[in-house]
Amino acid sequence: MTSVKQFQVTFDCAEPERVARFWCEVLGYVVPPPPEGFATWGDFDRSLPPERQGSAFACVDPSGVGPRLFFQRVPEGKAVKNRLHLDVRVGTGLVGEERLAALEAECARLIPLGAVRVRLLLADEENESCLVMQDIEGNEFCLD
């Protein structure tokens, strides 16, 4: 029998800490403690060579259930639609107007954090409604 593997989700981005803190707010994740011997992540970051400072950041599910999110600085900007995206499950079990209200409420919470509303996809014969959004660096995600 094959064992289930743990995984992390990695984001390429320009500003790892900024994007990580955005996703902490979206998901209720937290920044893990800094490595042993460092009082803060800033202290750890300053210990790195200048070219590596600010190059990575992470956040974790405080309950330990969800995957770790890792953010790494890359030189190129985002050019095309994501091939993979997160679905933030805010409407699970809801249908119709109740589901739309939950999606809209979460959208309203995220916009002041820097998220951008892209489009509402209304329910059809196969799928419930969802709301396509972008994070602070333009990465697509859905409120589902």
Side-chain angles (χ1 to χ4, degrees), residues 8-123:
Q8 75 177 9
V9 178
T10 301
F11 290 72
D12 290 350
C13 55
E15 298 179 70
E17 183 173 354
R18 180 173 173 250
V19 180
R21 291 192 184 279
F22 169 84
W23 282 102
C24 282
E25 291 295 322
V26 172
L27 300 174
Y29 270 41
V30 297
V31 175
E36 192 170 322
F38 296 94
T40 68
W41 279 105
D43 292 342
F44 172 76
D45 198 53
R46 286 184 291 280
S47 76
L48 298 173
E51 67 275 6
R52 289 196 45 224
Q53 291 178 5
S55 66
F57 211 80
C59 59
V60 296
D61 177 351
S63 72
V65 175
R68 178 178 189 254
L69 302 182
F70 183 74
F71 303 84
Q72 62 187 7
R73 185 175 58 217
V74 296
E76 67 278 359
K78 183 177 178 311
V80 298
K81 182 181 180 296
N82 302 3
R83 295 285 310 262
L84 173 81
H85 68 267
L86 300 183
D87 286 342
V88 180
R89 309 298 307 271
V90 299
T92 303
L94 303 176
V95 296
E97 292 301 317
E98 190 177 19
R99 182 179 180 87
L100 288 173
L103 299 177
E104 294 293 351
E106 185 67 1
C107 178
R109 184 181 80 83
L110 298 180
I111 286 175
L113 300 175
V116 174
R117 179 189 180 113
V118 176
R119 71 183 169 281
L120 175 65
L121 300 173
L122 292 172

